[in-house]
Amino acid sequence: MTSTDLLGSMIARRRRQLGRSQQRLADQLCALSGRATITKNEVSRYERGKRLPNAASLRLLASALGLPLADLERAAGVRGRSAPAVETVDEREEDALDRREMFRQLAAASLVVAGWPVGVARGAELPARITPEHVAELREATGLYRTWVRRHGGGGLGRHITALLERASAMHGAARDEPTRGLLLECIADLAGLGAYIARDVEAHDYAGRMYQLGLQAAKAAGDRHLGGHLIVRMAGHNIELRRPDETLGLLASARRAAVAVLTPGERANQHCIEAWANAQCGDVAAVRRAVGQAEDEFAKSDGAAAPEWGGQHVTEAELYSLTGAGYVDLARIDARHCAVAVERLERAISLRGEAHARNRTLDLLSLAEALVIARESAAAARAADQALGQLDRITSGRLRRRLTEVATTFGAHGGSRDDTDDLRSRLMAAAGPAHPS
């Protein structure tokens, strides 16, 4: 037996002793490493002897599996001549395989939600009996990725979410009692909503739309009008990012009709914030002010009430000031007199953001830089942009890359001919990198 075979057998045996799936072990390795790029396929390659973990990965495996590092190093230490070479796959080919797998998993989840039985995927492991504890594990994993996106952006997470979707769908087919099946439908709806948010962040907009549709179907099948209304509002947020204000306002009206009886004041405040931004894109100043006032009134009624995990990040004071501040930046592009309000609101949002929301804080800093440069406050704009650039090494986000390009363009239009402004514009463009189709 080669060293990779010996190590692979050790990993697989210990994982089974602990009652963990390859997906759950991959999730743990992601959490321990602070990276979201370790998949169940990577674990499978380790176990089949197709890939030898490096020293850092061995340390992670030792911690996750509760094995002595020395034992793993001994098993991996001397590779015989017949040991398989480390598997190398062209990155573009691997990305294409990931995309095909994600679409397959999305299709399988859609069939389950529609009521069609779908078999367990090859190599998947399911408990003999599906219990609420297994549902809780799914929710815990979903929460892990939700936290990651807030801090680091959505890059590299899509395949993890669709793998969880496939697992939730298989568990739904295997569950025997209706209450558990209902909980699993809610998990599918939540996962689809998170998957759509991640797809938005990496500029995969068509895929985000398909995810939202799956989420709405699952929420309807589960009879959860609250979650369904939340997903419609998130679709409105997607359209405001794409600068489709009419579609945004139509979706907000649909959300109110669908879930008016279950919306909390915080959720109504969030909807009014998005409404304000949509009206700003239409150039309707009076409608913006009216919607901002309604948002603030509703938020004052919320009194810090707890929100469901899937909605918590959208009903905060920071989000209130961030969304309305972004709306006033859009107005400032038409009339610079709106810059002062935009700056005031965005500075407030930034002051309320912590490290746990680093991605959104960086987006707020870029919007602030944009408002300041429109106001001809070049030095302050440069400071805000510099702060945003200083955060980029921890964030992977296609939307953030697009915003860097947009802000650089604004600097070019409003920053004058100062050398420091030109230099900052060049650094923003360099940080954005080459353009990628959405």
Side-chain angles (χ1 to χ4, degrees), residues 171-194:
M171 289 170 66
H172 180 273
R176 301 299 179 208
D177 61 284
E178 283 305 314
T180 301
R181 290 166 68 88
L183 292 173
L184 286 164
L185 281 172
E186 291 174 4
C187 283
I188 290 171
D190 186 17
L191 278 164
L194 179 58

Side-chain angles (χ1 to χ4, degrees), residues 124-435:
E125 300 174 5
L126 288 180
R129 178 172 173 270
I130 308 298
T131 68
E133 285 72 23
H134 297 114
V135 178
E137 287 181 3
L138 275 176
R139 286 178 170 160
E140 182 183 356
T142 305
L144 171 71
Y145 290 122
R146 202 187 322 271
T147 299
W148 181 274
V149 175
R150 289 198 294 261
R151 189 182 293 265
H152 300 290
L157 286 183
R159 53 188 172 180
H160 294 273
I161 297 302
T162 48
L164 276 179
L165 260 178
E166 183 174 44
R167 180 165 180 78
S169 301
M171 289 170 66
H172 180 273
R176 301 299 179 208
D177 61 284
E178 283 305 314
T180 301
R181 290 166 68 88
L183 292 173
L184 286 164
L185 281 172
E186 291 174 4
C187 283
I188 290 171
D190 186 17
L191 278 164
L194 179 58
Y197 189 80
I198 288 167
R200 286 165 53 180
D201 198 47
V202 298
E203 304 277 80
H205 299 295
D206 289 343
Y207 189 74
R210 293 180 64 173
M211 277 287 200
Y212 277 130
Q213 290 299 326
L214 171 62
L216 285 172
Q217 291 163 4
K220 182 178 181 180
D224 193 333
R225 295 177 68 84
H226 195 178
L227 180 52
H230 163 79
L231 290 170
I232 297 173
V233 176
R234 302 284 66 80
M235 291 173 71
H238 184 199
N239 276 275
I240 201 66
E241 290 172 7
L242 296 175
R243 306 192 71 80
R244 298 171 180 166
D246 291 339
E247 289 88 339
T248 299
L249 294 170
L251 285 164
L252 290 173
S254 296
R256 292 184 186 117
R257 288 193 298 270
V260 65
V262 294
L263 294 173
T264 66
E267 288 167 327
R268 289 195 293 269
N270 180 249
Q271 291 186 39
H272 286 306
C273 288
I274 298 172
E275 179 186 354
W277 194 352
N279 282 311
Q281 290 185 354
C282 295
D284 190 337
V285 178
V288 172
R289 288 173 176 158
R290 182 170 58 250
V292 169
Q294 291 171 323
E296 292 174 342
D297 289 345
E298 290 290 353
F299 189 80
K301 298 175 189 175
S302 64
D303 195 28
E309 186 178 6
W310 37 258
Q313 75 180 82
H314 304 286
V315 296
T316 64
E317 187 179 7
E319 200 68 2
L320 169 73
Y321 283 101
S322 172
L323 295 174
T324 55
Y328 273 102
V329 173
D330 272 336
L331 286 179
R333 292 193 182 97
I334 303 168
D335 184 343
R337 288 177 295 181
H338 296 289
C339 286
V341 178
V343 169
E344 179 185 359
R345 288 184 171 273
L346 289 165
E347 286 180 339
R348 176 65 174 160
I350 291 163
S351 72
L352 293 166
R353 302 276 197 201
E355 284 300 309
H357 297 82
R359 169 192 170 274
N360 285 354
R361 186 174 188 273
T362 304
L363 288 167
D364 289 339
L365 281 164
L366 288 172
S367 293
L368 175 61
E370 207 166 10
L372 287 165
V373 78
I374 293 172
R376 303 292 182 179
E377 297 183 33
S378 298
R383 286 194 295 273
D386 268 327
Q387 287 183 59
L389 289 169
Q391 301 292 314
L392 296 183
D393 60 339
R394 299 179 295 161
I395 303 170
T396 306
S397 165
R399 183 185 172 206
L400 180 54
R401 186 174 62 240
R402 174 164 55 85
R403 287 292 292 134
L404 288 165
T405 302
E406 291 169 352
V407 174
T409 301
T410 304
F411 267 64
H414 297 275
S417 58
R418 290 176 47 174
D419 289 342
D420 56 349
T421 301
D422 288 342
D423 175 65
L424 186 55
R425 180 171 178 268
S426 297
R427 288 194 287 124
L428 287 165
M429 291 297 292

Side-chain angles (χ1 to χ4, degrees), residues 20-91:
R20 295 175 190 163
S21 64
Q22 290 178 339
Q23 181 63 60
R24 189 172 178 193
L25 177 56
D27 291 341
Q28 285 186 292
L29 294 172
C30 287
L32 288 168
S33 66
R35 295 184 294 113
T37 54
I38 304 170
T39 67
K40 69 175 183 180
N41 294 329
E42 185 77 359
V43 173
S44 175
R45 285 192 279 265
Y46 291 159
E47 293 186 355
R48 290 183 289 116
K50 295 295 185 181
R51 180 168 291 178
L52 189 66
N54 60 24
S57 296
L58 284 173
R59 287 193 293 273
L60 291 172
L61 285 163
S63 179
L65 296 171
L67 289 172
L69 177 59
D71 290 356
L72 291 175
E73 289 176 336
R74 193 176 305 113
V78 180
R79 300 184 64 189
R81 290 175 181 264
S82 60
V86 173
E87 194 171 64
T88 58
V89 180
D90 181 86
E91 287 186 4

